Amino acid sequence: MFVYFIKRSLVALLVAITVSIVSFLLLHLSGDLAQSLAGPSASAADVAQVRKAYGLDRPIAIQYLDWAGKAIRGDFGDSLFLKQPVFPIIAERLPVTMMLGISALVIALFVSIPLGIAAALRPNSWIDRLALTISVFGQALPSFWFGLLLMMLFGVTLRWLPVSGTGGWEYYVMPAITLSYYSIPTFMRLTRAGMMEVLASDYIRTARAKGLRSMTVLFKHALRNAIIPLVAVAAVQLGFALGGSIVIESVFSLHGVGYLGWESISRADFPVVQAIVLILACFYIVLTLLADMLNALLDPRIRVR
């Protein structure tokens, strides 16, 4: 297990370094950074002075090492638009995005597990076909389109929920449902497949032959083993949810990290975009590593592959 942990940690570290290089190059591919900092009306002498002051006249590799060293300490430079350090700006918005991602994960698990169990217990029935339909629509429909439908129904027509903005729990309901809609098909298919496999196993037949109650066999013996893969996948889906929040927060004007990213792209505030990409990618890498570790603990066969 220790060797497997070291291998997976090294892979995660290499991915994180690759993402940091891409994030760093993103800033430099956007154009002449010195010109952006000096302003459109700056003279050539002013641009040259800014380039020297910010160390932009150094080799690109030296600039990357300097930037990466500061990023590890949480120093991502200053926002070009807000003229403030980037990290506090992102840290202020991060709780909103975390709240949205965790809420979406809870909703997805709450809906998909019962539906997956019901579909496994009655294959080829109406409820199985309903689960299949939800699964197909969940992966085929764009999340922002589903969010707009909810907005029109519950925000504009029924006026039950606020259409946009940031505030109490009611502002998270529609964004969280929209974000969860993408994860529900994955969770539901895993639950259905796991339950069908477990219910056909010998130890379940033995438990039934011993006269145990159906509910005891289902929830105590079958479900516990069937949802083991789901536990690990949930961590990865949380990473997807945090990344996908950029679109959903923009649709609902929810002031999280995703909305900040959308604002920063429209303002050409590349240091903020650069930091958001790196931070969300690191979140996803850590969650994937934790999911791999959990999978290895639950299924020892994975460690020897």
Side-chain angles (χ1 to χ4, degrees):
M1 182 65 189
F2 180 73
V3 174
Y4 180 79
F5 173 76
I6 295 297
K7 288 181 179 177
R8 294 301 304 159
S9 298
L10 288 175
V11 172
L13 181 61
L14 289 174
V15 174
I17 292 173
T18 303
V19 171
S20 71
I21 293 174
V22 173
S23 300
F24 175 77
L25 293 178
L26 176 70
L27 183 62
H28 288 263
L29 291 175
S30 61
D32 190 344
L33 186 57
Q35 182 69 60
S36 300
L37 291 170
S41 59
S43 64
D46 293 336
V47 173
Q49 189 176 2
V50 169
R51 183 173 285 110
K52 185 176 181 180
Y54 283 87
L56 298 174
D57 54 345
R58 296 175 298 170
I60 194 76
I62 300 298
Q63 291 184 50
Y64 167 73
L65 292 175
D66 182 50
W67 174 82
K70 290 179 179 177
I72 291 173
R73 300 193 298 272
D75 181 5
F76 293 94
D78 292 341
S79 163
L80 299 179
F81 181 80
L82 300 174
K83 308 298 182 186
Q84 296 175 9
V86 169
F87 188 73
I89 298 172
I90 296 176
E92 185 182 2
R93 304 285 191 98
L94 199 55
V96 174
T97 299
M98 294 299 295
M99 177 72 176
L100 176 61
I102 293 172
S103 301
L105 181 65
V106 171
I107 292 172
L109 291 172
F110 184 77
V111 172
S112 59
I113 291 178
L115 199 55
I117 293 173
L121 292 175
R122 299 181 183 277
N124 300 319
S125 65
W126 69 268
I127 197 165
D128 192 20
R129 287 191 285 273
L130 173 64
L132 179 62
T133 303
I134 292 175
S135 176
V136 170
F137 275 93
Q139 293 195 324
L141 296 180
S143 57
F144 70 88
W145 185 84
F146 183 65
L148 291 175
L149 281 183
L150 293 180
M151 192 184 292
M152 290 295 294
L153 178 60
F154 296 106
V156 177
T157 304
L158 300 176
R159 298 182 181 276
W160 288 354
L161 295 167
V163 173
S164 62
T166 305
W169 62 269
E170 65 272 17
Y171 288 88
Y172 290 89
V173 175
M174 287 195 291
I177 292 174
T178 304
L179 198 56
S180 70
Y181 193 60
Y182 180 78
S183 301
I184 287 174
T186 303
F187 292 157
M188 190 169 55
R189 285 201 304 269
L190 277 175
T191 304
R192 180 183 181 276
M195 283 297 293
M196 292 186 74
E197 181 181 353
V198 170
L199 289 174
S201 61
D202 292 338
Y203 78 91
I204 293 296
R205 280 195 290 269
T206 302
R208 284 173 172 162
K210 290 168 64 177
L212 294 179
R213 293 189 307 165
S214 299
M215 299 301 284
T216 302
V217 173
L218 179 63
F219 290 104
K220 185 176 180 180
H221 298 283
L223 182 61
R224 188 171 58 182
N225 292 324
I227 64 172
I228 285 176
L230 193 65
V231 175
V233 172
V236 179
Q237 287 295 321
L238 179 58
F240 275 119
L242 295 177
S245 66
I246 291 178
V247 177
I248 304 304
E249 289 178 10
S250 302
V251 171
F252 290 97
S253 297
L254 196 61
H255 290 188
V257 174
Y259 190 74
L260 175 64
W262 178 80
E263 287 179 319
S264 302
I265 291 172
S266 61
R267 297 167 180 164
D269 197 352
F270 293 105
V272 179
V273 178
Q274 187 182 44
I276 289 174
V277 170
L278 184 60
I279 289 173
L280 291 182
C282 287
F283 265 115
Y284 183 75
I285 291 169
V286 170
L287 289 172
T288 304
L289 179 63
L290 291 176
D292 287 343
M293 295 297 106
L294 192 55
N295 266 331
L297 284 173
L298 297 174
D299 188 355
R301 293 172 298 179
I302 295 176
R303 306 175 204 169
V304 298
R305 289 176 186 172

